[in-house]
Every structure is written in structure tokens, then in C-alpha cells.
Amino acid sequence: MEERLSMDCKMEDDLSRSEEEDQQVKIKCFREPHRQIEKRRRDKMNNLIDELSAMIPACQPMAQKPDKLTVLRKAVQHLKALKVGTSSAFADSTNKPSILPQDDLRQLLLRAADGFMLVVSCDRAKILFISESVAKILNFSLLELTGQSLFDFIHPKDINKVKEQLSSWEYPKEPMIDAATGLQVQTDAPVRPTHLSSGAWRSFFFRMKHSRVAGKQEEKHQLPCAAKKKDTSRYCTLHCTGYMRSCPCSQLDSEGDAETPSLSCLVMLCRPLPHGSPQPPKDINAKPSAFVTRCAIDGKFTFVEQQATTVIGYLPQEVLGTSCYEYFHQDDLQHLAEKHRQVLRSKEKIETLCYKFKTKYGSYVSLQSQWFSFTNPWTKEVEFIVSSNRVMSRGPGHIKDEKSGRLKAMQEETKQIPIIPSLSNGVGTMIYAGSIGTQIANELLDSYSRVNSSPSSGASSPFGSTNEKCPLVSPPISTSASSGGGAASSSSQSDSRTAAGASCATADSSGQVSQLELDGMVVPALSSFSSDEAAMAVIMSLLETEVNVGQPGDYEDLHWPF
Amino acid sequence: MMTADKEKRRAISREAARRRRRVESEVFEDLSRLLPLQQSVRDHLDKPSVIRLTLSYIRMHTLLTGKTGTKAEASHKVKCGQVTDDQMVRHEFNGGCGEEEEKERYDADASEETNMYLRILEGFLMVLSTEGDMIYLSENVSKYMGLTQAELMGHNIFEFSHPCDHEELRNNLRVTAEEVWSGEKRDFVMRIKSALTHRGRSANLKSATWKVLHCQGRSKVCVAPSSVSCLLLTCQSLPLSHTLLSTQTFTSQHSMDMRFTYCDQRMTMLLGYSTEELLGRSIYDLCHTRDTNCLTKNHFNLCFKSQSVSGRYRMLVRGGGYVWVESHSAVIPNARSSKFRPGTNQPLCILCVTYVLSGVEEPSLQLSLDQTVHI
């Protein structure tokens, strides 16, 4: 002890001596940073001491801020006090000391992972062990599960999948991707025996039953329709990862075969997926009068939820591919076209006013929508618009509009040039509704072509592919209208172009900057990919290979705890 | 004369300072001896580290022994007689040893079980305070970051994470009062410094590379004696190991904007789209619109962090309806590209391994244009 202390002092002296020497040797302009380093060190220490005093109850009620030594002494007393009454493994000299008792660590892990450990025999899927945390997740108690067959608790459609994972399967090895060429490699090699050996890794998903007995409170939230079905079991989707192990039979399975001294089993950690089990949409759908749709940037429907049918009368497949403008009332065209333009240039959600949507039966329903344009994180271009639509009221909304019938008739025959709605009042003008959307989309695409004069490295030419997605030609009904639209009355086109140009100005510059930023930023994590080897390692670990089968040795020496 | 006095005074003050330092060192010694650490670790601790580890110890103790933080936890314990169940099971296996032995056995069992979890998880446990202090890290953190538990514990996560991920990290650390009571979940990807070389050896932090971690967990709080709330997180190293691709799994490749450049036969079998149909199509078109956010987040992670785990989303089946899936993806150099020239930036592509989680739901529903278009 004495020696130790004197050594410490010597060290301190050495330090201070060397500090003096340093200060003597260094010229004035170097003394500043040195002092700063020292100051930083002192500040850091003071901060730590402050934090410590905040955590120690004995230091709290003091009037004056306690000095360093006092805080340290109180800390020592506090730690001694904490040790009294703990049932941890610290006191035991044989066990490796750790900051946290092993049991606490185990609990924390299971809490963080929100999972449970499951050990099943490979031959009959008998549940050999399951950790108590399963109760929180599936509502079953240990007694209900231990010793049972796992298959009794699995969704019927997943039984084969789980069987496959528990056994060595005979089907030919799945095609892998050759990392060098990126092409599929066909192999007819038989399954390697290592798949069943200890250390073989498994990762798969399956649905497991959720007990309804214990969770009486949860049943209140279930809709009555669920109870009417015969099989009212609820399932929870689990992600299971783990290793194959062989374990001595006598320890675990009293029914063990004399012929098989050791049992092959799978040790897994099962975690439920974050958002609970997939339920049929009927449960989720609390508001039947709301539905979601997706349109291409020209307004053509590309996705329509089934709930839409109760509102608009059409089945999704009846409207898919048609332009939303075909269903808008003439009076709303101007406002909606404006919102359309707005949403393509904004990162915010755009709220429309109330508008009328033509149903299958000719009547109109009053809707209000929230539009949001999706921008591809890589290309930074708008690819589609998502619309959340809700019904405003059914009463006055269902107007049989004579004008609309007339308008439709006119639309069929028209060969006239489409006119931008803002320039017209609707009466007496021939509007082919769908092309409004197309025109607005073209404005956007033009702005992109000005920004992206050359495709950036690594990305396929964004302009080219967007082109295919949103053809510049109008729908086939009136082809001459499309050529007319293409040629376009120069005045209206140039108007729209300047308008678009003005509103796009900021988008251009920001679009350009962020693309550059993206190029620079995109692969910070791939700096370690300087070698092909490292890249291969990533690919190989995404697909199973010899390299990653796992080290059997690691497992054999673990004492089997159950 | 004056100088001699001054010298004498200086000598006295130096001696006093030495005494203070000696006493201080003693106390630090006492403190470090009380910490449950291995001797080898203890010998190398500097003074700030001793305080850091003491803080961690006290905070973890407070967290674990304080009153239960979540209402759900408290009531559940009562419902299932949780602790009793567990002890009962162990008692069966132990065959009823003496209490002392049983306690030892219990601890040893817990230790083995914990090690098993950590290996299966392919990650480590991290407890983060709301300010981002790494209050606790499981010992195996050294396998992922190249630095030991003692070196890291008590430091702040912001010192070790990628600056571009700081905002997302801050958002995740922000736990409202309500969220904390309900054990709010967290799920995000972050880049962390790793002092490990490719071959797994520990190197200098100065030459650290970025490692991508998938962090999942929940908030935890205890109310007495003092209010401590924190995040419990499991941090898994990406990419995760994968098993042999089974019948319910398929791979696909995409350009960086998530358009398909390749898909394997299994995708055709499971979803009905042929490769020709998919080439050039965006994955966003193939999925349920309500899952757009999930896919966007996944795409962002890929663009900026190069790896991602998507969480559940719905993929539309060609003939109608949809399946729930989860994708594990990574950005890789596109070796196939004809544009590849050695020495320049390699063009990149995205490799996805997608697990099908459910059967086909609502098979009669046609929701998207791709489902209805006939070649």
C-alpha cells in the first residue's frame, strides 16, 4: 500500500515536473493550448463529480456544493450501502464479477428484445424449454407450453415452414447469387450435412397463437365480427433466430429413446414483430367512409383501397388507370388543379377543400382529401401522390348534375386543344379533363429535365424511366387531342411554363444541391468496402454460405443450463 | 532572505498538495475496489473512468431496484406470478439443492442463458439515458465496437455515433412522460464507430470505421427513489446472418432508386410477377400505399447508412390480394455494371432478402394497376 502510494506521488511529481519543464520549454504561443487541455481535463472531472453528487442521496440536501473529496467519500459509503442486501453474484468469488447481476441482465435483455427463448426438439417439435417472458407476449403460462408440441400453437399455414427449419431438408440448394457477376448460380449440390449439425444457424418467421384466456381486458377492443368466426385464435408473428444444438437426452426428455443418446434441438430467441399480428382489414377499418388512393403524377389512379367502393361505387379495377380528373366536378377543376400543382412541388401535406367526386351511378359525393407527394429518396424526384380521402357528407353531396352529363358528351367528341382551367370559366369550353393532369405532370417533368442534364453515377437515368411511367400522350380516346396538346397553343403553354419555372426555381437549386450532397454522403458506411473482399462478406452474409454457418465449437463448451 | 521564505512557503504548499493528492488517490482506490470488476480491468482504470463506472453502477441499481416504471409490467407480474413460475421451473431441474447452492446454480444458469441470448441476438445490450449517456453496455460490446465495456460505459453515445445520425438519435431519445409509462418501443438504424479491423482485431479508435447497428427496444422508468428514465436497446450488427433461403424467402436486386433490376424464381412463385414484368418497376408500386412510410424509411436507411431492416409491410400479389413481408437489405457494389471502371466510384445497387410472413390475404382484391395489367 505504502509503495503504491509513494509511486502515485512520484507519478504526480513527475507530472508536475514535466509540466514545469513543458512550460519552460514551450514558447508562449504553445502554453495556451496546453492550459486549455488542462482546463478541459479539470472541467471534465468537475462535471463527473457533479453528476456523482447528484446521484448520491447523502449529497443532496447539502447547503453548499460539496468538495471533490467529500463527494468521493460519500460515493464510497453509498456503494457500501448498496451492496448490503443484494442477492447478486458479486459476493461470490467464483463467479466472474460484472457491473450487473446476470439475472438482471437477462431480464433487461428480454425486456429490450421483447422476446422469449424457445428450445424445441427437432424430431417432434416438443417444447423443451421456454422462458417466462413468453407470458407477456403470448399470454400463455409456462405450464401451458412446456412439454407441448410447438405445432399445436402454430398457424396451420406455417407448419410446413417450421418443419422445414427443424429438419434437414432434401430439396436442392436454392440458387445463390454469384457476387462477381451478380447472376444466378445454379447448383445441384445436395444439402450439406452441416445444416443439422450443432452451430447451424436458423432465421425465420412464423405465426404463433396468442392466448385469449388471460387477456380479458384486451377482448373489449376486439370487434364483435371476429368472435363469430369458428377459429377465433389470434396470431402473433414472431421472428425467430437461433442455433441448432445437440443436447444429452437424459437431462431434458424423459421419454428419450435409448437409441438416440442425444437429441437435436433448436435454441431460438423469438421476438414479435413491432406492430403486432396482421389482422384482416375489417378489424382496422373503423371508418368505412375513409380510404386511401395513389395516383401517378399526372393524376391517374394506380392504387385504390377496397373501402373506396362503398363510397364511389366503382371497384378498384374499374378506376385504375383512369385520371382522377374524369371524376371531378367541373366547378372544382380549377381548385384541384391548383392543389395538384402545389403538391408536386411541396414536401408538406396539402389539404384540398371540399369537392365533388362522381360516383358510378352518376351522382356526386362530397369528399375532402389530404394529398402528399412521394419523393424518391435517391433521385429526389416526385414519383406519385398519396391521397387520404374522407367523405364530408352524403346529404347535399349526391346531386344529379345535368351539366355533367352534357359535359361528358362534349368530352367524347372533342378534338380541341385542352385549355388550362385558370384561364376559363368552364361554360362553353371544351375540356378534356384527363389531360389537365397530364399537363401538370409535364410541367414537373420539364423542370426535372432542366435540373438533371446528366444522370448521376450509380442511378439509372431518372428522367428516362419517369418518362415511361407517365406517358406524355393522353389516353387513347382522342389521339388528335394529344397531338394538339403536344403542339399546344403556344401562349397557354408558355404561360404555364413560366409559372412552373418560377415556382420551380427554388426546387431546382435545392434539388441540385441535395443531389450533390447525396453523392458525397451516400456511402459513409461503405468506406470499409475498399476491398472486394469486404463487399463479398456483406453479400455472403445476406445469403447463406459456408462462411457463416457458425462455429460449432462455441456451443459445445457452453454448459447446458436447463 | 525573501527568496528563502518564499521557497519555504512553496515547499509547504507543495507538500500539502501532495498530501491532498495522496488522500484523493486513496479514496479513488477505495471506490474502484467496490466496483464489481475484474482485477485486470480495475488496474487500468484512470480516475475519470472510475467515476464513470461508479455512476453507471449507481444508475443501473436505481433503475432495477426502484419501483416498477410501467403499469403494464406491474399488473402483469401480479397476474402471472411471474417470478414464482420461473423459480418453480428451475427447482424442478435442480432437483432441490440447498439454498446456497441453488442461488449459485441460479446465477450460473442465468449467466449461460444470457450468453446464449447475446449470441443468438448477434448484438449487445445498451441502456441509454435521455441525454444519451451509455449507462450500461453488456460485456460483448467489445466484439462489435472493438472497445471494452469499461472503456465505453458512462460515455455519451453522441461521441461515438455518426454525426448525420445525431438528429434521428435525438428524436429517439426524446421520450414524453406518457410514452415512458407505456414502455414505448424504439426501432432505428444508426452508424457507430468501430475500432475493429476486417479481421476482427481491435485497432486504434483513430482508424475507426463505421459499423451499422439495428437498435430495437423500449423505454423504462423507475419512480423511486429518484426518477430515472432510459431506453433499453438491443443493438444488432447489420447485416444479420441468414439461413438457407427457404421457400418463403426470395432475393431481389434494385438500382439505388429502388427499381427492380433482378428477382429470383421464388419471387415469381410467391408473388406471381415475372422478372420481365418487374424490371424497371419501382418497389413502391408493388406495395400497399399505406406502407409507403415504412418503405421510405427503409430506403432512406439504405441511401445514407447502407443497411436496413424494413419491418412489416404489404406486397401486392399479381393475381390479387397481398402478403405481409419483411426485407433485410444492403447496398453493395454493382459488379455487373458495364460502367464499372477500376479506380472510380463503383456504381451501387441494393440487395434485398425478403421474408414472406403471411399467406395471401384478400386474394380476390385488386388494388393496384400492376395487379390488373395483363401482358
Side-chain angles (χ1 to χ4, degrees), chain A residues 149-174:
Chain A
S149 167
L150 183 64
F151 292 137
D152 291 342
F153 296 91
I154 294 180
H155 192 288
K157 290 193 178 159
D158 291 339
I159 290 182
N160 280 333
K161 190 202 287 193
V162 176
K163 268 195 187 149
E164 190 183 72
Q165 296 290 335
L166 289 176
S167 68
S168 64
W169 53 99
E170 302 296 332
Y171 66 85
K173 200 151 101 58
E174 293 303 322

Side-chain angles (χ1 to χ4, degrees), chain A residues 86-152:
Chain A
T86 56
S87 60
S88 67
F90 303 153
D92 194 314
S93 56
T94 55
N95 276 346
K96 206 169 93 171
S98 58
I99 287 276
L100 213 59
Q102 286 302 317
D103 193 46
D104 287 335
L105 177 57
R106 187 177 60 104
Q107 301 272 11
L108 278 184
L109 253 179
L110 287 173
R111 182 102 187 98
D114 198 26
F116 58 91
M117 182 143 135
L118 178 62
V119 183
V120 291
S121 68
C122 288
D123 56 352
R124 271 175 254 142
K126 184 167 162 178
I127 298 176
L128 302 172
F129 174 83
I130 190 160
S131 69
E132 75 269 15
S133 44
V134 69
K136 234 179 270 184
I137 297 162
L138 297 176
N139 266 328
F140 286 110
S141 75
L142 291 182
L143 293 177
E144 285 176 278
L145 292 168
T146 316
Q148 303 294 323
S149 167
L150 183 64
F151 292 137
D152 291 342

Side-chain angles (χ1 to χ4, degrees), chain B residues 18-32:
Chain B
R18 247 179 250 147
R19 238 182 292 128
R20 274 200 305 271
R21 283 195 293 266
R22 214 181 342 206
V23 170
E24 194 181 279
S25 296
E26 267 181 42
V27 183
F28 267 106
E29 272 285 308
D30 290 341
L31 203 53
S32 74

Side-chain angles (χ1 to χ4, degrees), chain B residues 126 128 132-134 155-161 169 190 192:
Chain B
M126 177 159 68
L128 278 180
D133 292 324
M134 299 186 282
H155 281 295
N156 195 283
I157 186 83
F158 289 105
E159 293 171 42
F160 293 91
S161 52
L169 202 48
M190 94 174 147
I192 209 165

Side-chain angles (χ1 to χ4, degrees), chain A residues 481-513:
Chain A
S482 73
S483 53
S489 62
S490 51
S491 55
S492 55
Q493 275 283 9
S494 58
D495 278 354
S496 68
R497 208 163 285 232
T498 42
S503 63
C504 270
T506 45
D508 281 1
S509 51
S510 67
Q512 199 129 39
V513 169

Side-chain angles (χ1 to χ4, degrees), chain A residues 298-522:
Chain A
D298 64 0
K300 293 216 185 68
F301 287 112
T302 55
F303 180 97
V304 176
E305 262 193 327
Q306 70 273 27
Q307 293 96 295
T309 310
T310 54
V311 178
I312 64 177
Y314 294 103
L315 286 173
Q317 51 263 49
E318 290 176 305
V319 300
L320 289 170
T322 62
S323 171
C324 58
Y325 283 94
E326 292 173 43
Y327 308 87
F328 295 157
H329 191 277
Q330 189 186 8
D331 297 342
D332 298 315
L333 283 177
Q334 186 174 342
H335 135 251
L336 289 170
E338 200 39 56
K339 293 290 181 190
H340 183 181
R341 265 203 200 86
Q342 217 184 325
V343 80
L344 290 178
R345 285 160 186 76
S346 166
K347 290 203 196 299
E348 305 292 321
K349 294 195 171 140
I350 307 287
E351 299 279 350
T352 67
L353 301 170
C354 241
Y355 62 94
K356 295 190 259 299
F357 192 98
K358 188 147 66 115
T359 68
K360 188 169 182 177
Y361 317 109
S363 56
Y364 281 85
V365 64
S366 236
L367 297 179
Q368 191 271 332
S369 304
Q370 190 191 66
W371 290 352
F372 179 70
S373 64
F374 166 77
T375 309
N376 189 303
W378 180 260
T379 62
K380 302 286 194 201
E381 289 177 0
V382 177
E383 289 193 354
F384 54 83
I385 301 165
V386 175
S387 174
S388 302
N389 316 289
R390 55 190 186 114
V391 179
M392 289 312 286
S393 62
R394 285 191 183 271
H398 278 267
I399 310 161
K400 264 219 161 160
D401 197 338
E402 297 164 354
K403 269 195 217 156
S404 75
R406 220 185 304 144
L407 190 62
K408 197 158 198 279
M410 290 198 291
Q411 282 171 2
E412 312 277 36
E413 316 165 25
T414 187
K415 290 183 180 182
Q416 290 218 0
I417 299 159
I419 295 172
I420 307 298
S422 56
L423 299 177
S424 81
N425 285 325
V427 178
T429 54
M430 317 296 173
I431 302 174
Y432 185 67
S435 60
I436 299 172
T438 313
Q439 200 129 31
I440 295 179
N442 288 350
E443 290 167 12
L444 185 75
L445 294 176
D446 286 343
S447 73
Y448 284 154
S449 67
R450 279 198 296 276
V451 172
N452 295 320
S453 46
S454 59
S456 53
S457 70
S460 53
S461 168
F463 186 60
S465 40
T466 329
N467 236 344
E468 286 151 29
K469 252 181 68 77
C470 304
L472 298 179
V473 294
S474 313
I477 293 179
S478 46
T479 46
S480 46
S482 73
S483 53
S489 62
S490 51
S491 55
S492 55
Q493 275 283 9
S494 58
D495 278 354
S496 68
R497 208 163 285 232
T498 42
S503 63
C504 270
T506 45
D508 281 1
S509 51
S510 67
Q512 199 129 39
V513 169
S514 53
Q515 190 66 32
L516 289 173
E517 275 177 1
L518 194 57
D519 287 341
M521 276 172 77
V522 73

